[in-house]
Structures are given as C-alpha cells and as structure tokens.
Amino acid sequence: MRDEYLLVVIARLFIVFACVCRVIADDSSLHIIPTHPDGTGGFLPVGRASLFLSLFTLLAGIATAGLTFQVFLDAANSGGTISDQGMFKGVIVLWSLYVVLGPLLLFLPIWPLRRVMIHAKREYLRDAKQLYRKTELSHRAHLEQGVFDSSAIQGQACLAALIESAAHMGVWPFDRKTLLRFAGVFLSPLIPVITSQWPKIYPLVHSYL
C-alpha cells in the first residue's frame, strides 16, 4: 500500500509541475530576457526543478538495476542462461520504459515553455537586427559626410554583443551543466549493468562494427 501511495505522490508532483509550467507559459505578463546571463532567458531555475524531479526516475532505474542483478544471480545459481529466467522479459520491458520515460518525464512538463522561449528569442533577434541595420546605415551616412560619431560605433558594438548573446540563448530551460547532470543521473543505473555484461555485449557490438 505504501508503494502505491508513493507512486501517486510522485505522479502528482509531475502533474503539478507540468501545470505550473503551462500557467507560466500562458501568462501574458511573462517577460523573457534572451540576453539573460543564464543563457535560458531567466528560466534556469525551472530546468533545475525538472532535474530534481528526475531523481525519482533515478530511483526507478536503481530498482530496475537491482531486479536485473537478481536475474543474473538466479541464472548463475541455476546454471542456465539469463533468457531462461522468468523475470527476463519483465526486466527488458522495465528497461525499455526507463529509457523512454526518463527523458520524456524531464522534457514533457516543460514543453510549453519551449514555445514561448522560441517566440521570445525570435522576436528579440528580429528587432535587434533591424535596429542594428538602422545604426549601420546611420554610421555609413556619417562616414560619407566625414563625421566620426564614437557613440554610434559604441552602440553598434553593444548591439552586436546583445545579438550574439541572444543567439546563444537555449530554447529549453537548461544549461550545459544541468543537461550533463541529468545524463549522469539517467545513465548511472545502466552503467553497472552494462559493465557487468560487457564481455558478452562486446562480441555482439563488434560484429556490427
């Protein structure tokens, strides 16, 4: 009963988080800053919250890894092969669900934010590039008149820096460190399973290469 209740609580957390992201994305007063230092328009805390929820995915992966090692142990004790064990097919299904649902549970709740982030980035770059073209035309006109306007040149350099910063803005609320952390969390249950079976997996992989 406790396990079922825990699953309900975890599912509720994911659903509430997804609803909050939807509300944020639909908020007309939402102000995204494409030049924000976090590289995500100011949404990096949302990505970190999603990363925190992925710890529940890690627990599922650890439980599946434990079940997998139990299948290995049963096969070793019985002297048979792994595929002969009754739980083998169930383990394959669980790992398949883990590989599919792990990234899905990370990205699906924040999917609505991706739409508004793309829109904000596109609008900002469009307006900034139009303004840059105007300053460039003004600068050329000054050159033709033999006038040196240092403030215009500084403005151009500032605009160019802002455009470059906005161009590097991500359209997911993740920076590289957050994604690497998720990859570490997601792959950690798989690593001991793969390494323990590497002598059997390597010939199969080598035959396809």
Side-chain angles (χ1 to χ4, degrees):
M1 185 64 181
R2 292 181 179 178
D3 293 340
E4 288 79 0
Y5 178 74
L6 181 60
L7 289 175
V8 170
V9 171
I10 294 173
R12 184 175 181 273
L13 284 174
F14 277 101
I15 293 172
V16 170
F17 180 66
C19 291
V20 170
C21 290
R22 169 64 68 178
V23 171
I24 293 174
D26 293 338
D27 188 353
S28 59
S29 63
L30 179 65
H31 182 59
I32 300 174
I33 307 173
T35 56
H36 196 281
D38 69 6
T40 63
F43 276 146
L44 188 57
V46 179
R48 288 174 176 169
S50 185
L51 176 66
F52 175 77
L53 289 179
S54 69
L55 293 177
F56 294 112
T57 305
L58 171 64
L59 294 178
I62 292 174
T64 305
L67 184 61
T68 303
F69 280 114
Q70 183 62 46
V71 172
F72 292 161
L73 184 61
D74 292 343
N77 292 334
S78 64
T81 61
I82 298 175
S83 57
D84 293 334
Q85 304 304 310
M87 293 188 296
F88 177 72
K89 292 183 179 179
V91 167
I92 295 298
V93 171
L94 288 175
W95 279 121
S96 300
L97 289 174
Y98 178 76
V99 171
V100 173
L101 293 180
L104 191 64
L105 290 175
L106 178 74
F107 291 102
L108 190 60
I110 58 177
W111 181 265
L113 297 177
R114 172 179 166 82
R115 171 177 52 84
V116 295
M117 291 176 73
I118 291 175
H119 177 74
K121 179 178 180 178
R122 184 186 298 118
E123 293 292 314
Y124 183 91
L125 287 174
R126 183 197 64 190
D127 295 342
K129 288 178 180 178
Q130 286 179 352
L131 184 57
Y132 184 87
R133 283 193 290 269
K134 290 181 181 179
T135 58
E136 175 64 20
L137 291 175
S138 176
H139 174 60
R140 290 185 180 181
H142 288 155
L143 289 178
E144 292 174 357
Q145 297 171 5
V147 177
F148 178 75
D149 189 349
S150 60
S151 61
I153 296 175
Q154 290 175 356
Q156 270 190 299
C158 182
L159 271 174
L162 291 173
I163 290 172
E164 183 178 2
S165 176
H168 286 90
M169 169 190 160
V171 292
W172 292 96
F174 294 110
D175 59 357
R176 183 176 299 178
K177 290 182 179 179
T178 306
L179 285 175
L180 288 176
R181 288 170 183 169
F182 170 73
V185 168
F186 180 70
L187 295 175
S188 56
L190 290 166
I191 292 174
V193 177
I194 294 175
T195 54
S196 65
Q197 295 299 304
W198 182 246
K200 298 179 181 178
I201 296 174
Y202 176 76
L204 181 62
V205 174
H206 184 69
S207 65
Y208 283 98
L209 297 178

